[in-house]
Structures are given as structure tokens and as C-alpha cells.
Amino acid sequence: MNKTIRFAVICLVLIAASGCEKVQFQSPPTLPLAQCDAAFVGSWRVEDPSEDADASAMYLRVGPDCADWIGVEVDADDAQAAKIENLQEKMDLGFAAAGEQRFVASLERQEPAADADGKPEGYVLARYSADEELIELRLLDATKAAHLIIDDAIPGWVEKRDRDVDGRVAPLATRHYVYVFGSAEETNAALQLHGEAMLGPLWLRLRRVDAQTKGQIDAWIAAAKAEQGDGE
């Protein structure tokens, strides 16, 4: 999954690609969603525990009141070049809770023909813990959620594909589509009862940057906006 796509993943929309798995919910655990958790406001270095320390730098800037979410990918060969992505152009974002569990919730903005496969729209949830300097996010595990659906512990759909259409087992072919039905109240109850059982491993860390790095992020974003303005 490339770096730009991962910024969509950070905000919980797993763009369809080989090897991606996701759990979607008909409803988040609370409605309406809260627009912001002040703990997210600021500039962050994005750390993927599955990558080594030499991976190209990625940052996330969340504006006051969470009014904007901007992803920044720095070119590994040119530290002055950066790719900017406005996450809110791809998804609706908000915050929800189930008991003591806190979640970022996202709903992908679908094109008119995007539901041609008959699958309903759904929210992707990432559970998080946060302090002043560090936010850690965990996704819900598709396999664990699928077993709960199969065992009739929660209502939903499960689809598993483990090979290509010609029957061959191919690298990265295995993926799950898991969809949990229910109202916000039912999702809340399910997460309070089964949330720990569905929780996946540490997925991403957001580490607050220092003042110098914050200034560089601001400069990258300003330069990208200026370039977009020149292209209009």
C-alpha cells in the first residue's frame, strides 16, 4: 500500500487494495459524532510500527477544532519536496466512544456508482489512546470480528477471498470484508461487550513534533497551496 493511500488509512478508510482488510460498521457507537478531540490538534510525525526507521517521513497536521486534516509525505530523495493530501476530501471524520473506549470514525465519500457491488456504506473505527506527546491507534481485527459474526455474537456479513479468480493462491490475495449491522446504541453495546476481543495490534503512532519541524510542515503546506493556486 503506497504512502499516499496510507494517509487515507490513518483516518480509517482502508482503500481497496490487495492485502487490505477492514471492519465496517453500519453505525458508529455514538451519534452524532463529535467533531473533535482536542488531543489530536497539532502536528504529528506518523510512525508505522511495521516499517523500519529509514522509511520516508510522513506527517499529519490537524487544525484547530479538527477543522482540517492534512497529510504530508516527504520525498525520500528531496527533503524540500512534499506531497500534500487533504483527508477530508476523501472521507467524513469524527470521534465516538463506547464506555472508556475512544474511537476515530471515518466514512468514505463514495462516488455515485461505488456501491454497484451491493455492499452498504460503513464506518471504519480506530481505537486510540492519547496524551500530550503521543497518540496510539489500533484497528479492529477483521478475522476476530468475522468469528464473532459467524458465532452469532454480533450481526453482520463476512466475505473472505484467499485466491485469484482462476483459483491460484497469489501473494497478498487474502482479504476479508466484514460488516457489522446495528444502530449506534447496538454498536455501542457490541463494542463494550466485545471490543477487547476484536482489538488488533498497535497500528500507527502519532508523535508530536518539535517547533522546528512544525515550522517545516507549515512551509510544505503553504508551498503546496501556493502551487495549487498557480495552477487554477
Side-chain angles (χ1 to χ4, degrees), residues 105-120:
S106 74
L107 182 66
E108 185 177 2
R109 293 182 179 173
Q110 301 280 358
E111 296 297 329
D115 62 351
D117 59 3
K119 294 176 180 177

Side-chain angles (χ1 to χ4, degrees), residues 42-47 57-61 70 72 74 79-80 82 84 133 207-222:
S43 298
W44 307 89
R45 172 69 184 257
V46 179
E47 299 177 354
M58 299 185 68
Y59 301 94
L60 177 67
R61 204 280 305 278
I70 306 295
V72 180
V74 181
Q80 299 305 308
I84 308 300
E133 301 300 323
R207 194 176 300 276
R208 195 178 295 276
V209 303
D210 58 24
Q212 180 178 356
T213 306
K214 177 183 179 300
Q216 180 63 70
I217 293 170
D218 291 341
W220 281 321
I221 292 173

Side-chain angles (χ1 to χ4, degrees), residues 144-231:
K144 295 175 181 177
H147 281 294
L148 289 170
I149 292 172
I150 292 168
D151 292 340
D152 289 327
I154 56 177
W157 289 355
V158 174
E159 176 184 284
K160 178 189 176 186
R161 297 185 182 182
D162 60 6
R163 58 196 64 223
D164 287 336
V165 293
D166 60 4
R168 291 182 305 149
V169 177
L172 301 180
T174 299
R175 56 191 182 274
H176 291 86
Y177 169 79
V178 180
Y179 190 92
V180 180
F181 286 93
S183 65
E185 292 78 9
E186 290 167 329
T187 299
N188 195 304
L191 289 169
Q192 292 204 55
L193 188 59
H194 301 292
E196 293 295 333
M198 286 191 283
L199 194 61
L202 179 64
W203 169 53
L204 287 174
R205 293 187 184 94
L206 303 181
R207 194 176 300 276
R208 195 178 295 276
V209 303
D210 58 24
Q212 180 178 356
T213 306
K214 177 183 179 300
Q216 180 63 70
I217 293 170
D218 291 341
W220 281 321
I221 292 173
K225 289 181 176 178
E227 183 176 346
Q228 291 171 358
D230 289 342

Side-chain angles (χ1 to χ4, degrees), residues 15-112:
I15 303 303
S18 294
C20 283
E21 298 183 349
K22 57 184 172 182
V23 182
Q24 291 180 290
F25 289 80
Q26 182 180 11
S27 307
T30 50
L31 281 174
L33 292 172
Q35 178 181 331
C36 194
D37 180 339
F40 276 75
V41 174
S43 298
W44 307 89
R45 172 69 184 257
V46 179
E47 299 177 354
D48 183 344
S50 68
E51 291 190 340
D52 59 46
D54 295 329
S56 59
M58 299 185 68
Y59 301 94
L60 177 67
R61 204 280 305 278
V62 182
D65 299 321
C66 302
D68 55 76
W69 297 64
I70 306 295
V72 180
E73 175 195 349
V74 181
D75 191 319
D77 299 320
D78 182 1
Q80 299 305 308
K83 186 182 299 179
I84 308 300
E85 185 170 11
N86 182 349
L87 303 180
Q88 290 171 309
E89 292 179 352
K90 298 179 179 293
M91 67 204 73
D92 295 319
L93 295 161
F95 294 84
E100 298 299 315
Q101 303 171 71
R102 294 182 291 171
F103 297 92
V104 184
S106 74
L107 182 66
E108 185 177 2
R109 293 182 179 173
Q110 301 280 358
E111 296 297 329

